[in-house]
Amino acid sequence: MNSTRTLLSIKELEIDYPSRDGRGRVTAVKGLNLELAQGEIGCLLGSSGCGKSTVLRAICGFEPVKAGEILLRDKLASSTTVHLQTNQRKVGMVFQDFALFPHLNVLENIAFGLQHLPSNQRSSVAMEWLKRVSLSDKSDAYPHELSGGQQQRVALARAMAPEPDLILLDEPFSSLDIELRERLAGEMREILKANNITALLVTHDQFEAFAIADKVGVMTDGKVLQWDVPYELYHKPANRYIADFIGRGVFVKGIVLPGNKVKIELGELELDHDHSKDIGKEIDVLLRADDIQHDDHSAMQAEVVRKTFRGADFLYTLKLASGVEIFAFVPSHHDHAIGEKIGIHLVADHVVTFRD
Ligand code: ADP
Ligand code: MG
């Protein structure tokens, strides 16, 4: 089946750079693995400096690899002994700042990557791609005359026009207004999906990652810790780092009870896998802000110690009787004062736990 064909495969990738003092090397990426199927959108999610851009540059062929392999359509593109030139990889790149040519108009920017076509075809193909990103009326405009979101769509059309096998996007929303980002992430996903384009983007923003990607890899220290669909990352994080990094939550202590239950300060929760060996033992239970519901009628009380207005809801930090602080998203018409005690109850249905 074509639909499940692997387009990009990275195995045990390692990349290093000369150290600042020029005397040694520093590792930027190590032991990195991931696979992307034809038509899939993947995302590397991690904080600044974890190696995201390095991975993209290596896939493009801008960085030699120290160990491991990069395969494109099952063909070896990078290893310690093989290094395909960038123009042989059929990979397109959209840079963080879009990197449009300021002295070329929109149509010329898109046509720039179409040198392989006869000149009479270049502008009609470019025009076709402009249509696909809903900017037909801007063909004569210069980049500085466009909004950030429009420039981004031009950059995307320019990368898509040569019909690469894979498009790489380096923090494609980071120079745009926050309010725009989520909508544009959704739009970009629609454009990529409508054109059946395989893409790998990198970002430090989990909302962007979740809004656009089919598969997300949480990255730290040059490694992908878990490469999975967003739902699984959120509900079944493979380790504490991911549990902490994704979503807003805290770990609270719990005691495992018979019958696959765990008792925490707020009550009992069902565990979703067998913990019979741990009965009586202490485990850490992840409580996310969406696991706690505010309920004015609940007997269980917690004190508001901090609150952040987020529009539709507040993120409350609540102190339990034991002194433990937890988070809760509460609809913003429940505007309680700091120091006030409010009723809560537990609604967790996917319980994430870790031992020690
Ligand atoms: P990210 O994109 O996640 O912010 P990068 O891939 O840019 O991370 O960088 C990963 C690490 O490699 C960082 O520690 C960074 O300082 C280092 N690095 C990146 N590019 C170079 C370079 N050209 N020379 C030396 N070190 C580099
Ligand atoms: Mg970067």
Side-chain angles (χ1 to χ4, degrees):
M1 277 281 289
N2 240 2
S3 59
T4 55
R5 198 177 151 177
T6 303
L7 195 123
L8 168 68
S9 172
I10 300 183
K11 295 174 187 164
E12 295 298 325
L13 185 67
E14 183 170 341
I15 295 169
D16 64 5
Y17 291 112
S19 62
R20 208 162 272 162
D21 62 15
R23 284 192 222 153
R25 312 279 297 171
V26 285
T27 302
V29 171
K30 190 168 179 154
L32 184 133
N33 294 285
L34 66 87
E35 273 199 1
L36 204 56
Q38 163 73 51
E40 241 179 355
I41 303 174
C43 178
L44 294 173
L45 171 64
S47 26
S48 173
C50 74
K52 304 181 295 295
S53 297
T54 300
V55 175
L56 294 192
R57 286 203 304 271
I59 298 169
C60 271
F62 299 152
E63 298 290 346
V65 313
K66 189 184 176 202
E69 295 180 341
I70 299 173
L71 291 97
L72 289 161
R73 289 202 185 283
D74 299 326
K75 186 175 167 200
L76 190 58
S78 292
S79 73
T80 47
T81 53
V82 172
H83 187 87
L84 280 192
Q85 291 308 302
T86 298
N87 59 13
Q88 295 175 296
R89 293 184 181 227
K90 299 186 117 195
V91 169
M93 179 101 169
V94 177
F95 295 92
Q96 196 162 351
D97 56 0
F98 315 138
L100 297 175
F101 304 115
H103 57 288
L104 298 183
N105 71 24
V106 165
L107 197 69
E108 290 161 346
N109 259 280
I110 298 171
F112 186 85
L114 301 173
Q115 312 288 344
H116 58 287
L117 296 179
S119 58
N120 59 344
Q121 278 179 35
R122 271 178 228 152
S123 31
S124 60
V125 171
M127 200 62 210
E128 184 54 39
W129 282 98
L130 210 43
K131 225 180 270 165
R132 294 190 197 179
V133 296
S134 314
L135 282 175
S136 316
D137 54 330
K138 297 288 182 195
S139 59
D140 299 333
Y142 283 84
H144 73 270
E145 297 171 302
L146 303 178
S147 71
Q150 290 169 334
Q151 288 181 37
Q152 186 192 51
R153 276 186 277 158
V154 175
L156 186 58
R158 186 178 63 179
M160 292 191 295
E163 304 197 24
D165 286 342
L166 174 67
I167 288 199
L168 305 174
L169 305 120
D170 195 345
E171 310 246 4
F173 307 100
S174 61
S175 60
L176 302 173
D177 293 343
I178 277 182
E179 310 89 75
L180 258 182
R181 289 185 194 171
E182 209 166 314
R183 186 169 58 93
L184 288 174
E187 260 179 31
M188 184 178 278
R189 182 179 164 85
E190 280 169 27
I191 295 169
L192 293 170
K193 287 289 174 192
N195 293 285
N196 192 27
I197 287 170
T198 315
L200 181 66
L201 81 145
V202 307
T203 178
H204 61 273
D205 180 335
Q206 60 177 283
F207 298 104
E208 264 167 44
F210 285 9
I212 193 165
D214 301 309
K215 290 238 178 78
V216 174
V218 176
M219 238 187 122
T220 182
D221 291 333
K223 264 197 177 63
V224 170
L225 299 180
Q226 185 176 359
W227 177 248
D228 220 330
V229 297
Y231 187 91
E232 294 287 307
L233 276 181
Y234 192 82
H235 290 295
K236 290 185 184 144
N239 58 43
R240 270 172 210 267
Y241 181 88
I242 298 169
D244 233 7
F245 189 77
I246 302 282
R248 191 60 86 91
V250 290
F251 286 103
V252 299
K253 296 286 177 205
I255 301 286
V256 179
L257 302 177
N260 263 334
K261 288 189 173 145
V262 60
K263 184 172 171 42
I264 60 171
E265 185 177 357
L266 293 171
E268 288 179 14
L269 290 165
E270 301 268 348
L271 293 167
D272 55 7
H273 47 268
D274 184 26
H275 275 266
S276 48
K277 290 194 302 297
D278 300 328
I279 292 170
K281 289 191 186 141
E282 195 176 71
I283 56 174
D284 286 339
V285 179
L286 177 65
L287 274 189
R288 287 232 177 77
D290 49 323
D291 297 332
I292 305 296
Q293 220 164 55
H294 167 49
D295 175 358
D296 284 320
H297 306 293
S298 170
M300 197 184 307
Q301 301 272 306
E303 181 187 331
V304 177
V305 290
R306 265 186 302 279
K307 61 195 252 200
T308 310
F309 182 59
R310 299 163 16 113
D313 56 26
F314 281 108
L315 173 65
Y316 280 113
T317 306
L318 301 170
K319 190 153 84 184
L320 305 181
S322 63
V324 167
E325 292 185 0
I326 58 171
F327 296 114
F329 292 130
V330 174
S332 67
H333 52 272
H334 289 273
D335 187 5
H336 295 284
I338 307 271
E340 201 178 323
K341 290 223 161 92
I342 66 170
I344 53 169
H345 63 81
L346 202 51
V347 288
D349 58 347
H350 289 79
V351 185
V352 175
T353 60
F354 293 101
R355 280 172 62 183
D356 304 320

